[in-house]
């Protein structure tokens, strides 16, 4: 019999489809960011780079079509339904929230919040938001309600998402891989990348400050040892999506 972790793991074709859809989204976000950055800088659009992004998006879209052929929605639905717990009550919700709180506090207890750690916190919050309707009436008993409710959780997840978009954007600036670009366009991409990096660092500071408030509130009610492995890698070495 499969354990819960195995039973809830999405099939490989579904995960691959999710990743390729993320690749399409990353190209679209990158184009939008470049256009906005050029407007702020008062500079012309880097035509060669945007053409490269357009081609990357076309290729990713084709991969989505191919991956989608390998996914059966009906089969996936049946697998998800089979993995659902037989019963769900207040005690089940409280146990889930206590486990989530422990993981959350463990991330916050790390010496430094790396890009990967912030990304993992975002995934944790998104998982929580997906099942929030089944946790009503219990969340306030586990988390400090004045700092952690559905609205603040949603806002924090969105800000973490914006930060992740910056991390992904930085991985898509590769002028050295585009020898056909002019020297002027390469220099322009360097400036645009600096704009993105400044935005990323500004958002990081705001996030760390906000998470510090949550950390203080959670630590006031519980003592947590960091038992959850916290990622230490650099986001620029990471692929685009989770």
């Amino acid at each position: 019999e499969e354990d819960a972790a195995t039973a809830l793991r999405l099939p490989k074709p579904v995960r691959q489809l999710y990743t390729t859809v993320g690749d399409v989204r990353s190209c679209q976000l990158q184009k939008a960011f470049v256009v906005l950055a050029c407007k702020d800088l008062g500079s012309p659009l880097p035509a060669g780079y945007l053409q490269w992004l357009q081609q990357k998006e076309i290729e990713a879209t084709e991969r989505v079509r191919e991956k989608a052929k390998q996914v059966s929605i009906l089969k996936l639905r049946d697998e998800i339904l089979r993995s659902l717990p037989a019963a769900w009550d207040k005690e089940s919700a409280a146990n889930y929230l206590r486990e989530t709180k422990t993981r959350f506090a463990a991330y916050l207890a790390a010496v430094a919040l790396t890009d990967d750690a912030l990304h993992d916190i975002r995934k944790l919050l998104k998982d929580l938001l997906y099942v929030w309707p089944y946790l009503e009436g219990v969340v306030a008993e586990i988390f400090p309600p004045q700092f952690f409710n559905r609205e603040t959780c949603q806002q924090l997840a969105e800000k973490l998402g914006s930060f992740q978009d910056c991390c992904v954007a930085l991985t898509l600036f590769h002028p050295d891989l585009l020898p056909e670009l002019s020297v002027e366009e390469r220099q322009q991409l360097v400036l645009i990348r600096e704009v993105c990096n400044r935005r990323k660092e500004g958002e990081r500071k705001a996030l760390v400050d906000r998470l510090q408030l949550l950390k203080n509130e959670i630590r006031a009610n519980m003592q947590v040892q960091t038992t959850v492995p916290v990622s230490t890698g650099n986001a620029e070495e990471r692929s685009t999506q989770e």
Side-chain angles (χ1 to χ4, degrees):
E1 183 177 351
E2 293 180 312
D3 58 26
T6 302
L8 290 172
R9 184 172 177 80
L10 290 175
K12 184 176 180 180
V14 177
R15 287 182 277 121
Q16 290 178 333
L17 176 61
Y18 182 80
T19 298
T20 52
V21 170
D23 292 339
V24 174
R25 178 179 179 274
S26 293
C27 290
Q28 294 170 341
L29 286 175
Q30 185 76 345
K31 287 190 292 184
F33 177 82
V34 168
V35 171
L36 183 60
C38 287
K39 182 178 180 181
D40 291 341
L41 292 169
S43 62
L45 295 175
Y49 179 68
L50 290 176
Q51 289 176 2
W52 176 76
L53 279 177
Q54 182 65 31
Q55 183 58 38
K56 294 277 287 185
E57 182 182 344
I58 292 172
E59 294 170 359
T61 301
E62 183 57 34
R63 291 198 300 273
V64 169
R65 294 193 180 98
E66 292 301 316
K67 296 298 182 183
K69 296 176 183 178
Q70 303 172 24
V71 174
S72 169
I73 298 300
L74 292 178
K75 182 179 179 181
L76 176 61
R77 183 197 64 181
D78 291 341
E79 291 178 356
I80 292 175
L81 290 176
R82 283 198 301 270
S83 71
L84 293 176
W88 186 262
D89 52 24
K90 185 175 181 179
E91 182 179 356
S92 301
N95 288 336
Y96 170 76
L97 284 168
R98 278 191 286 267
E99 178 187 351
T100 300
K101 182 179 181 180
T102 299
R103 292 173 57 208
F104 190 31
Y107 283 123
L108 297 182
V111 175
L113 287 171
T114 65
D115 292 354
D116 281 350
L118 290 172
H119 186 48
D120 288 340
I121 290 173
R122 177 188 177 227
K123 290 189 290 182
L124 183 149
L125 294 179
K126 287 176 65 178
D127 287 346
L128 189 57
L129 286 166
Y130 290 147
V131 296
W132 198 283
Y134 304 98
L135 307 172
E136 295 288 358
V138 185
V139 179
E141 298 178 10
I142 308 298
F143 285 93
Q146 67 272 37
F147 285 93
F148 199 90
N149 52 52
R150 187 171 189 172
E151 182 180 358
T152 58
C153 186
Q154 180 69 52
Q155 291 173 351
L156 183 55
E158 290 175 355
K159 291 182 181 300
L160 285 162
S162 177
F163 176 79
Q164 172 64 12
D165 288 342
C166 288
C167 294
V168 172
L170 287 170
T171 70
L172 291 175
F173 284 112
H174 293 299
D176 292 341
L177 301 181
L178 302 171
E180 67 275 13
L181 295 183
S182 66
V183 174
E184 292 78 10
E185 189 164 344
R186 288 170 182 268
Q187 293 173 341
Q188 185 181 9
L189 288 178
V190 170
L191 293 176
I192 295 174
R193 193 180 194 281
E194 289 177 355
V195 170
C196 183
N197 195 55
R198 287 197 299 270
R199 173 183 162 185
K200 173 192 169 185
E201 292 308 314
E203 292 190 6
R204 167 193 283 283
K205 184 180 184 305
L207 282 167
V208 170
D209 290 346
R210 185 165 183 176
L211 288 169
Q212 183 64 43
L213 292 175
L214 268 176
K215 176 181 178 179
N216 293 339
E217 286 299 313
I218 291 176
R219 288 181 63 182
N221 297 301
M222 67 181 293
Q223 292 183 345
V224 178
Q225 294 182 346
T226 308
T227 56
V228 178
V230 178
S231 305
T232 57
N234 189 303
E236 294 193 28
E237 299 172 356
R238 191 170 63 238
S239 60
T240 58
Q241 289 292 319
E242 282 290 350

